[in-house]
Amino acid sequence: MAASGAVEPGPPGTAVAPSPALAPPPAPDHLFRPISAEDEEQQPTEIESLCMNCYCNGMTRLLLTKIPFFREIIVSSFSCEHCGWNNTEIQSAGRVQDQGVRYTLTVRAPEDMNREVVKTDSATTRIPELDFEIPAFSQKGALTTVEGLITRAISGLEQDQPARRANKDATAERIDEFIVKLKELKQVASPFTLIIDDPSGNSFVENPHAPQKDDALVITHYNRTRHQEEMLGLQEEAPAEKPEEEDLRNEVLQFNTNCPECNAPAQTNMKLVQIPHFKEVIIMATNCENCGHRTNEVKSGGAVEPLGTRITLHITDPSDMTRDLLKSETCSVEIPELEFELGMAVLGGKFTTLEGLLKDIRELVTKNPFTLGDSSNPCQKERLQEFSQKMDQIIEGNMKAHFIMDDPAGNSYLQNVYAPEDDPEMKVERYKRTFDQNEELGLNDMKTEGYEAGLASQR
């Protein structure tokens, strides 16, 4: 139970006369009296409150007290007469201190087990000799002694031991052995170290020799780390770091889909690729294990460029066939020497080489079902054979030709083998799109500025 404040009860039967002026608040020294069993005037404040075990009303007692040579605390005790459940905890009555505190106590004699200890929720308790630790926020704050801390730890370990033994859990025996070691500490057969580390600075270990120095107790004040301040709620948690793009580039993502040929379940692989001297693209490839169908597609990783792009390459050498090439869905291809033009969206987006794209074009034209069979025109067959022969000559480097890529969206690319210098055989032009080109890209009806005013007028 926790309360924001408490009123010290007056003697029974006394009445307070109303006053037009507000009474001055009681002094802190009057509210927080030094803890003493002989102080009869120091009585706890009792508040009827709900028991969270049986949901009947129980009694909470609050005692505002002061630890000598330390500071003020609030001792809270709850008990329920209906179910017998009780709970005791302490809270600091002050603020979180400017620095954290670490108490290192060397327990050498049985008298050290009687030292008073204030352990807050945020304190971590350690006994290095046993490699034992009670993490922060795993227990409620307590006003106890060194022996009480160990007894409380033993009770916590023994709590589930019957269930572990019934299940023949292998850890039950090891926990029993550890409990024996903790009980031996209470006898102080040999010295051991108790460390209480509290980032809030509100924990305390008694110095029985105060105000003289205690050789067995070392008190260290330190500046909190960012993690400790976040744990205490003094600082907002740092936003999760965004994954670096490099990690995404090195990772192949997979998702389930259906094969476009046989409709069987298949997997599509997707990868983000950075093209040198250009931009990022998304490559998607599908391989069907059922029918063997394979397909790949390239999507631009960026927006539509402000200007269109026209790339003209003069093919003069067989090495030109090895140039990397990115053809977006909005790109058209033209080869003037063959009087050939490939419109937008045909063949889709592709990331391949110049040789690979020319072979795809040859296959698309020569294997067209409308130009094959008995009903085909002989003249048309002859033209297709001539087209195929010339395309083979270009691929083999026996025929010079111009290869033109025209992309109004500006998202296509042809490798410059002389980069970062200019390529003498390649010309890259940037041009302003026409109204019809913007219409095909759906940009004429797209309004990115001042659209809020337009929506308001329509309403």
PDB file of all heavy atoms in Angstrom, residues 228-236:
ATOM      1  N   GLN A 228      20.293   3.413 -15.864  1.00  0.00           N
ATOM      2  CA  GLN A 228      19.776   3.503 -14.497  1.00  0.00           C
ATOM      3  C   GLN A 228      18.759   4.637 -14.376  1.00  0.00           C
ATOM      4  O   GLN A 228      17.748   4.497 -13.676  1.00  0.00           O
ATOM      5  CB  GLN A 228      20.931   3.704 -13.519  1.00  0.00           C
ATOM      6  CG  GLN A 228      21.799   2.469 -13.334  1.00  0.00           C
ATOM      7  CD  GLN A 228      23.037   2.740 -12.509  1.00  0.00           C
ATOM      8  OE1 GLN A 228      23.565   3.863 -12.500  1.00  0.00           O
ATOM      9  NE2 GLN A 228      23.528   1.730 -11.808  1.00  0.00           N
ATOM     10  N   GLU A 229      18.988   5.750 -15.067  1.00  0.00           N
ATOM     11  CA  GLU A 229      18.019   6.856 -15.022  1.00  0.00           C
ATOM     12  C   GLU A 229      16.718   6.460 -15.716  1.00  0.00           C
ATOM     13  O   GLU A 229      15.631   6.843 -15.279  1.00  0.00           O
ATOM     14  CB  GLU A 229      18.629   8.098 -15.660  1.00  0.00           C
ATOM     15  CG  GLU A 229      19.763   8.701 -14.837  1.00  0.00           C
ATOM     16  CD  GLU A 229      20.144  10.086 -15.310  1.00  0.00           C
ATOM     17  OE1 GLU A 229      19.805  10.432 -16.461  1.00  0.00           O
ATOM     18  OE2 GLU A 229      20.774  10.824 -14.528  1.00  0.00           O
ATOM     19  N   GLU A 230      16.806   5.700 -16.795  1.00  0.00           N
ATOM     20  CA  GLU A 230      15.594   5.204 -17.454  1.00  0.00           C
ATOM     21  C   GLU A 230      14.841   4.249 -16.531  1.00  0.00           C
ATOM     22  O   GLU A 230      13.605   4.276 -16.465  1.00  0.00           O
ATOM     23  CB  GLU A 230      15.966   4.497 -18.760  1.00  0.00           C
ATOM     24  CG  GLU A 230      16.480   5.432 -19.853  1.00  0.00           C
ATOM     25  CD  GLU A 230      16.968   4.673 -21.064  1.00  0.00           C
ATOM     26  OE1 GLU A 230      16.906   3.425 -21.040  1.00  0.00           O
ATOM     27  OE2 GLU A 230      17.419   5.302 -22.023  1.00  0.00           O
ATOM     28  N   MET A 231      15.578   3.419 -15.802  1.00  0.00           N
ATOM     29  CA  MET A 231      14.966   2.458 -14.887  1.00  0.00           C
ATOM     30  C   MET A 231      14.225   3.164 -13.766  1.00  0.00           C
ATOM     31  O   MET A 231      13.163   2.713 -13.320  1.00  0.00           O
ATOM     32  CB  MET A 231      16.065   1.548 -14.316  1.00  0.00           C
ATOM     33  CG  MET A 231      15.572   0.464 -13.379  1.00  0.00           C
ATOM     34  SD  MET A 231      16.910  -0.593 -12.795  1.00  0.00           S
ATOM     35  CE  MET A 231      17.843   0.584 -11.804  1.00  0.00           C
ATOM     36  N   LEU A 232      14.747   4.313 -13.317  1.00  0.00           N
ATOM     37  CA  LEU A 232      14.105   5.069 -12.240  1.00  0.00           C
ATOM     38  C   LEU A 232      13.037   6.024 -12.761  1.00  0.00           C
ATOM     39  O   LEU A 232      12.375   6.700 -11.970  1.00  0.00           O
ATOM     40  CB  LEU A 232      15.162   5.875 -11.466  1.00  0.00           C
ATOM     41  CG  LEU A 232      16.210   5.048 -10.699  1.00  0.00           C
ATOM     42  CD1 LEU A 232      17.288   5.968 -10.137  1.00  0.00           C
ATOM     43  CD2 LEU A 232      15.567   4.245  -9.578  1.00  0.00           C
ATOM     44  N   GLY A 233      12.869   6.100 -14.073  1.00  0.00           N
ATOM     45  CA  GLY A 233      11.873   6.995 -14.649  1.00  0.00           C
ATOM     46  C   GLY A 233      12.303   8.439 -14.687  1.00  0.00           C
ATOM     47  O   GLY A 233      11.466   9.334 -14.847  1.00  0.00           O
ATOM     48  N   LEU A 234      13.608   8.697 -14.560  1.00  0.00           N
ATOM     49  CA  LEU A 234      14.098  10.077 -14.597  1.00  0.00           C
ATOM     50  C   LEU A 234      14.375  10.553 -16.010  1.00  0.00           C
ATOM     51  O   LEU A 234      14.577  11.743 -16.234  1.00  0.00           O
ATOM     52  CB  LEU A 234      15.393  10.194 -13.769  1.00  0.00           C
ATOM     53  CG  LEU A 234      15.267   9.827 -12.289  1.00  0.00           C
ATOM     54  CD1 LEU A 234      16.616   9.936 -11.614  1.00  0.00           C
ATOM     55  CD2 LEU A 234      14.248  10.718 -11.600  1.00  0.00           C
ATOM     56  N   GLN A 235      14.396   9.637 -16.941  1.00  0.00           N
ATOM     57  CA  GLN A 235      14.702   9.990 -18.322  1.00  0.00           C
ATOM     58  C   GLN A 235      13.916   9.080 -19.230  1.00  0.00           C
ATOM     59  O   GLN A 235      13.705   7.902 -18.928  1.00  0.00           O
ATOM     60  CB  GLN A 235      16.207   9.836 -18.569  1.00  0.00           C
ATOM     61  CG  GLN A 235      16.697  10.506 -19.836  1.00  0.00           C
ATOM     62  CD  GLN A 235      18.211  10.475 -19.917  1.00  0.00           C
ATOM     63  OE1 GLN A 235      18.782   9.481 -20.367  1.00  0.00           O
ATOM     64  NE2 GLN A 235      18.885  11.515 -19.472  1.00  0.00           N
ATOM     65  N   GLU A 236      13.459   9.638 -20.344  1.00  0.00           N
ATOM     66  CA  GLU A 236      12.700   8.840 -21.289  1.00  0.00           C
ATOM     67  C   GLU A 236      13.600   7.788 -21.899  1.00  0.00           C
ATOM     68  O   GLU A 236      14.788   8.000 -22.096  1.00  0.00           O
ATOM     69  CB  GLU A 236      12.114   9.719 -22.408  1.00  0.00           C
ATOM     70  CG  GLU A 236      11.023  10.663 -21.926  1.00  0.00           C
ATOM     71  CD  GLU A 236      10.419  11.424 -23.075  1.00  0.00           C
ATOM     72  OE1 GLU A 236      10.844  11.179 -24.221  1.00  0.00           O
ATOM     73  OE2 GLU A 236       9.552  12.255 -22.832  1.00  0.00           O
TER      74      GLU A 236
END
